[in-house]
Amino acid sequence: VEFTGDVRLVDEIGGDDEDVEMLVVTTARLADAGGLAARLRAEGLDVRIELPSPEDAAGGSSAAILVRADELARARELLGLVA
């Protein structure tokens, strides 16, 4: 795949991700979010990370880790968030 720099092409390769309901599994410090997301991806889950706005990022804000709605229970279990 060649990088073209044409941002209009992003919609053509994205698929139906916009129709998939994503829910927040947890929030984490920005420094920890990547590691948590990697653990979930290693288990085959579709993961997204939402970063805070630049205004909110000052002072050590948190990032939200999201997974597909149908994978939420498994993600919580994998991260040890179930009681």
Side-chain angles (χ1 to χ4, degrees):
V1 176
E2 183 176 326
F3 177 73
T4 65
D6 187 351
V7 296
R8 294 174 295 160
L9 298 175
V10 171
D11 291 334
E12 294 179 19
I13 62 171
D16 294 329
D17 288 344
E18 292 179 15
D19 296 333
V20 176
E21 182 181 12
M22 301 291 281
L23 299 176
V24 176
V25 178
T26 189
T27 57
R29 294 180 325 155
L30 293 176
D32 298 330
L36 293 173
R39 285 175 47 194
L40 296 173
R41 284 190 181 119
E43 294 293 330
L45 277 66
D46 183 18
V47 180
R48 292 187 188 157
I49 298 175
E50 288 188 358
L51 300 175
S53 67
E55 298 82 31
D56 295 334
S61 291
S62 299
I65 300 173
L66 297 89
V67 296
R68 297 171 59 110
D70 61 341
E71 298 177 329
L72 181 62
R74 182 162 179 243
R76 291 181 54 76
E77 183 179 316
L78 290 168
L79 294 178
L81 300 174
V82 289

